[in-house]
Amino acid sequence: MSQVTVIKSNRKTISIQVDLEKNIIVRGPNQMTKTQIDKHLEKHRDWIIKKQIEVEKHTSKAHEYKEGEMFYLLGEERRLTFVKDLKYALIHKDGLFKVDYDSKEHTRNIIFSFYKNYAKHALIKRAWEVAEKVNLKPEKFKISSAEKRWGSCSGRGNINLSFHLIPFPFRIIDYVIIHELAHLIYLDHSKEFWDIVHKIMPDYKSRVDWMHEHAATYKI
């Protein structure tokens, strides 16, 4: 079931957006009523369904974990190759993900394990750096395995970040971190919440648009 988030501001028109989780974001004027929102959603029902189908296609793009496939690590390309007699299950060096040839049938698990471990260090370190910079500190940051949710923030102030973020460049990771840190103040997606995100990161919308366009390419 798709979630509908309503954001009211001083704008004059109503717009609809479908995010990477197929949820619906409605932006409109402060005086916009629930009846107006419902009518607008019904009017654009076919468009919403079409967009949700497009999102499903883009975000479900899967790797085959074959020689030569491209992966990403913090925005940098890593091409998969198989090498005989590696000391470790995976070595990332010189733009390559080198996987031991004798373990190639387990490549997916090896790559997932690598990303998880890498995220525990690089992603957590970055998150605390951003939190310190904006003076919004959670109880703790944790790495999750969520595939359809980049991050989450609990009412107790604990923030989860998906290891599936680690292929993205820091510019995009920073947006997700800021998004979740803003939930320390507002747990909803109200206008006040987005005002905080905008104040901290004025260009956040361009980063969100980039994620929409490139999410499938950076999928693990």
Side-chain angles (χ1 to χ4, degrees):
M1 184 77 178
S2 298
Q3 176 183 331
V4 177
T5 299
V6 177
I7 302 171
K8 296 183 180 182
S9 65
N10 293 325
R11 64 183 295 153
K12 295 181 180 180
T13 59
I14 300 175
S15 70
I16 300 174
Q17 178 185 356
V18 176
D19 68 16
L20 291 176
E21 296 172 13
K22 297 189 290 185
N23 293 318
I24 302 162
I25 301 171
V26 180
R27 291 184 171 86
N30 290 318
Q31 65 271 24
M32 179 175 61
T33 65
K34 184 178 184 302
T35 299
Q36 287 176 311
I37 294 170
D38 291 342
K39 286 183 178 179
H40 204 75
L41 289 173
E42 182 60 31
K43 179 181 178 181
H44 296 278
R45 181 174 177 274
D46 291 344
W47 180 87
I48 292 170
I49 293 173
K50 179 183 176 182
K51 284 295 180 182
Q52 289 175 326
I53 291 172
E54 288 177 1
V55 168
E56 181 69 26
K57 288 180 179 178
H58 285 306
T59 56
S60 62
K61 180 180 178 181
H63 279 289
E64 296 181 5
Y65 304 97
K66 292 182 178 180
E67 180 82 34
E69 277 194 284
M70 188 67 72
F71 292 80
Y72 290 85
L73 181 65
L74 297 177
E76 296 184 357
E77 294 181 345
R78 294 288 188 273
R79 191 171 297 279
L80 177 62
T81 187
F82 299 104
V83 180
K84 280 280 191 181
D85 302 321
L86 279 185
K87 184 176 180 180
Y88 301 101
L90 184 149
I91 295 176
H92 68 103
K93 185 179 180 181
D94 301 326
L96 299 172
F97 272 169
K98 299 180 180 180
V99 172
D100 189 276
Y101 184 85
D102 292 335
S103 301
K104 63 187 300 184
E105 63 184 82
H106 305 295
T107 299
R108 181 182 184 277
N109 292 337
I110 290 170
I111 289 177
F112 268 52
S113 179
F114 168 78
Y115 275 126
K116 285 180 184 178
N117 290 329
Y118 201 93
K120 287 177 182 178
H121 301 287
L123 202 55
I124 295 295
K125 180 175 182 290
R126 184 69 168 200
W128 281 115
E129 289 173 353
V130 173
E132 291 280 349
K133 186 175 181 179
V134 302
N135 199 29
L136 288 171
K137 300 175 185 177
E139 286 296 315
K140 59 183 174 182
F141 285 107
K142 290 178 64 179
I143 298 301
S144 79
S145 298
E147 292 189 41
K148 295 186 177 181
R149 196 171 189 181
W150 302 118
S152 62
C153 179
S154 73
R156 295 183 178 182
N158 299 318
I159 291 178
N160 291 320
L161 298 170
S162 172
F163 79 85
H164 289 270
L165 280 170
I166 207 67
F168 288 104
F170 275 130
R171 178 176 180 271
I172 304 305
I173 292 172
D174 288 351
Y175 160 70
V176 176
I177 295 170
I178 292 296
H179 183 112
E180 299 309 329
L181 287 171
H183 278 311
L184 295 173
I185 303 174
Y186 294 102
L187 274 174
D188 56 16
H189 287 100
S190 61
K191 177 183 180 298
E192 290 77 13
F193 166 83
W194 289 110
D195 285 346
I196 288 175
V197 175
H198 181 266
K199 183 177 180 180
I200 298 172
M201 185 175 279
D203 67 338
Y204 82 89
K205 290 182 180 179
S206 68
R207 305 188 194 210
V208 173
D209 290 342
W210 191 96
M211 289 184 78
H212 275 269
E213 185 176 351
H214 296 90
T217 301
Y218 285 75
K219 189 176 179 68
I220 298 173

